[in-house]
């Protein structure tokens, strides 16, 4: 097959009101590592888990209390000092501070262990969110490429359609009926509508990308790479037996689930030890309500407080307990074992999901790789066929005494329609290939940072990440609380 001539098409058009936003894949991936809201949400969850770990670590630290207590007594009552019934009026005042404590040693020992594993799980969830953001970004980015490529192909088809209408109009006086002009004009009108729809898709997909990356929503994204660019991260020929172990060892979701299993194991040990370890209590005098351990004490009859003295009361208690005579403790152990079993089930479900995602993604990559080659050949063949058909419109051959055209206008119209379809299929399959590559990259568990920072597909370019004043600014991490 002869090599077709180069395709010279006009650049995808922007209007004066469009906000042009040039960007490349490397820059989009760098922005996806922090700006998407799913990353900030995961970071906020990690903050909560970190706060719970801090609280668990200080369960054994007493609570500081400061205050005052005033009691007025009127009427009869026992005088414990004298062993008789008395009936004076009396009042007293007690002001001071205390370091009160009531903690189960089991919680103080094992809860930090469980909380540490929960925090580690949330930290893995941050990486999961970053990987999710990377996949969302690449999907939206190649959707932009696909829509812009189809738009460029539509513009090229419209240009050729206009030339075809003009050519048929000139030749219709001698060779073709006027009906052929209307046939060509009908195709041209359809191509113009497809071009408008493709430009709409370009702007819609730009909005999807700017939403993911939290950029200016008015921007029309203009990738700096050509729309036929193919990104190959993982060789489509790599066997599944090689890919799946990498995915199982690297997916952050699995690491997160394993941390939750370890947290459940720590809580099982906690409940097993609960009857054996005491509750430690540290407060003031052992009578109810007396929390103050040291301060000043004032006493006097009636309404006077004329006897003042320093006072300290400290009570230390160790208490062992069996909840429900031990039956409730056994129930708590069973509950935590159930939580561990549920965490194990979630891990196994995640493992099955991961290997299935690898299988699906590899199938997409291999299929898209084959279809890209086929679409390329189809586009080249369609271009050769269209050019040959148009060239033959002005040529004639003799059949007896009748002069006939070598090619008829409807053949050129049909060839142009096939050329437009081949353009669409080519840009669709290229975008499918790129998306499938990143789906496989995601399924194997590589962090977004590895591609965005260590192996970027191209050099970073400066972009304007500011947004209109009616939208909140994008910061680093979760937004601060309002109160």
């Amino acid at each position: 097959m002869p090599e077709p001539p180069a395709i010279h098409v006009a650049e995808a058009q922007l209007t004066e009101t469009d906000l042009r936003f040039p960007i490349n894949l490397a820059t989009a991936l760098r922005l996806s590592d922090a700006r998407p809201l799913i990353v900030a949400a995961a970071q906020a969850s990690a903050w909560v888990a970190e706060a719970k770990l801090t609280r668990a670590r200080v369960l054994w630290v007493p609570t500081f209390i400061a205050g005052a207590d005033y009691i007025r007594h009127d009427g009869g009552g026992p005088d414990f000092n004298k062993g008789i019934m008395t009936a004076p009026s009396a009042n007293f005042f007690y002001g001071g501070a205390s370091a009160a404590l009531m903690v189960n040693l089991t919680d103080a020992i094992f809860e930090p262990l469980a909380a540490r594993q929960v925090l580690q799980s949330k930290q893995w969830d941050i990486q999961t969110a970053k990987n999710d953001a990377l996949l969302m970004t690449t999907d939206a980015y190649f959707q932009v490429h696909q829509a812009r490529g189809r738009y460029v192909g539509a513009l090229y088809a419209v240009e050729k359609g206009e030339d075809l209408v003009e050519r048929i109009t000139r030749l219709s006086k001698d060779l073709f009926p006027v009906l052929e002009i209307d046939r060509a004009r009908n195709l041209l009108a359809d191509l113009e509508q497809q071009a408008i729809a493709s430009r709409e898709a370009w702007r819609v997909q730009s909005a999807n990308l700017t939403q993911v990356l939290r950029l200016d929503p008015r921007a029309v994204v203009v990738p700096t790479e050509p729309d036929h660019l193919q990104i190959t991260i993982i060789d489509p020929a790599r066997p599944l037996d090689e890919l799946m172990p990498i995915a199982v060892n690297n997916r952050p979701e699995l690491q997160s689930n394993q941390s939750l299993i370890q947290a459940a194991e720590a809580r099982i040990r906690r409940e097993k030890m609960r009857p054996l370890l005491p509750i430690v209590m540290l407060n003031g005098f052992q009578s109810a309500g007396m929390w103050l351990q040291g301060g000043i004490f004032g006493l006097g009859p009636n309404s006077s407080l004329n006897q003042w003295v320093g006072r300290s009361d400290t009570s230390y208690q160790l208490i062992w307990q069996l909840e429900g005579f031990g039956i409730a403790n056994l129930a708590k152990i069973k509950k935590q074992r159930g939580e561990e079993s549920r965490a194990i089930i979630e891990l196994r479900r995640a493992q099955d999901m991961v290997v299935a995602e690898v299988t699906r993604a590899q199938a997409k990559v291999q299929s898209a790789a084959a279809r890209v080659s086929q679409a390329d050949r189809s586009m080249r063949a369609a271009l050769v066929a269209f050019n040959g058909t148009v060239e033959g419109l002005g040529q004639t051959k003799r059949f007896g005494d009748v002069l006939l055209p070598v090619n008829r206008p409807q053949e050129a119209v049909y060839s142009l329609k096939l050329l437009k379809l081949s353009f669409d299929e080519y840009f669709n399959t290229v975008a499918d290939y790129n998306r499938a590559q990143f789906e496989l990259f995601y399924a194997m568990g590589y962090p977004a940072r590895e591609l965005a920072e260590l192996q970027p597909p191209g050099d970073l370019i400066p972009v304007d990440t500011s947004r209109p004043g009616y939208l909140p600014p994008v910061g680093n991490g979760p937004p601060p609380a309002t109160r």
Side-chain angles (χ1 to χ4, degrees), residues 104-410:
N104 194 313
L105 284 184
T106 308
D107 294 331
I109 294 172
F110 289 99
E111 194 57 33
L113 301 178
R116 187 178 299 112
Q117 294 300 326
V118 172
L119 174 59
Q120 187 170 340
S121 171
K122 296 301 181 182
Q123 290 170 340
W124 281 114
D125 289 344
I126 294 176
Q127 189 58 61
T128 299
K130 289 185 177 183
N131 287 6
D132 291 343
L134 176 137
L135 187 62
M136 294 167 58
T137 299
T138 54
D139 180 73
Y141 190 83
F142 292 120
Q143 290 282 6
V144 171
H145 264 301
Q146 178 179 344
R148 191 180 67 163
R150 289 173 59 107
Y151 181 43
V152 170
L155 292 179
Y156 181 81
V158 167
E159 179 184 346
K160 294 302 179 181
E162 292 172 346
D163 294 340
L164 182 60
V165 170
E166 182 181 352
R167 182 183 291 262
I168 294 175
T169 301
R170 288 199 313 267
L171 297 175
S172 65
K173 299 177 182 179
D174 301 321
L175 297 175
F176 309 130
V178 179
L179 176 64
E180 299 294 348
I181 303 176
D182 295 332
R183 193 197 307 272
R185 285 175 176 170
N186 183 50
L187 174 62
L188 177 59
D190 181 64
L191 293 175
E192 289 172 341
Q193 291 187 44
Q194 292 185 49
I196 295 173
S198 297
R199 185 179 186 280
E200 172 196 343
W202 181 19
R203 298 193 64 184
V204 168
Q205 299 303 332
S206 294
N208 292 340
L209 181 59
T210 57
Q211 178 183 357
V212 172
L213 297 181
R214 305 191 70 198
L215 300 170
D216 193 329
R218 303 167 299 176
V220 178
V221 177
V222 182
T224 59
E225 307 95 350
D227 295 316
H228 61 271
L229 175 68
Q230 290 180 240
I231 304 293
T232 299
I233 306 171
I234 301 171
D235 186 356
R238 291 180 68 177
L240 284 173
D241 290 339
E242 180 182 340
L243 299 178
M244 287 183 176
I246 298 175
V248 171
N249 291 328
N250 285 275
R251 282 292 286 268
E253 297 96 322
L254 304 184
Q255 304 295 335
S256 175
N257 285 333
Q258 289 173 352
S259 296
L260 293 179
I261 291 174
Q262 294 176 10
E265 292 174 350
R267 290 182 174 128
I268 291 175
R269 297 196 302 271
R270 179 192 66 188
E271 297 307 326
K272 286 183 176 180
M273 295 297 296
R274 190 176 295 277
L276 304 179
L277 294 176
I279 297 173
V280 178
M281 296 184 64
L282 171 65
N283 55 15
F285 190 59
Q286 62 267 27
S287 58
M290 184 67 77
W291 288 97
L292 301 180
Q293 294 174 347
I296 187 170
F297 183 76
L299 178 67
N302 299 321
S303 299
S304 64
L305 288 172
N306 53 13
Q307 301 179 40
W308 294 92
V309 67
R311 175 172 174 171
S312 63
D313 300 274
T314 306
S315 171
Y316 306 94
Q317 299 181 50
L318 297 179
I319 301 173
W320 283 263
Q321 66 177 9
L322 285 174
E323 299 182 32
F325 281 95
I327 298 175
N329 294 104
L330 293 176
K332 287 185 175 180
I333 295 173
K334 184 176 181 179
K335 175 186 175 183
Q336 294 305 322
R337 283 175 174 165
E339 294 292 340
E340 182 189 26
S341 296
R342 185 160 57 183
I344 293 173
I345 291 171
E346 290 300 323
L347 174 62
R348 292 175 179 174
R349 180 184 291 125
Q351 289 171 334
D352 292 344
M353 176 196 70
V354 166
V355 296
E357 286 182 355
V358 173
T359 302
R360 288 192 292 264
Q362 191 209 41
K364 290 181 180 180
V365 167
Q366 293 177 341
S367 172
R371 289 189 292 112
V372 165
S373 300
Q374 295 167 354
D376 180 72
R377 291 196 301 269
S378 174
M379 182 180 63
R380 293 174 181 274
L383 184 60
V384 171
F386 173 73
N387 289 338
T389 304
V390 172
E391 185 178 348
L393 285 178
Q395 300 175 358
T396 60
K397 60 182 179 181
R398 185 172 296 278
F399 185 76
D401 296 333
V402 180
L403 195 63
L404 299 176
V406 173
N407 291 325
R408 295 173 297 175
Q410 57 264 42

Side-chain angles (χ1 to χ4, degrees), residues 448-464:
R449 179 177 57 84
E450 178 172 323
L451 185 66
E453 295 184 0
L454 303 182
Q455 301 174 4
D459 297 327
L460 298 174
I461 62 175
V463 295
D464 182 10

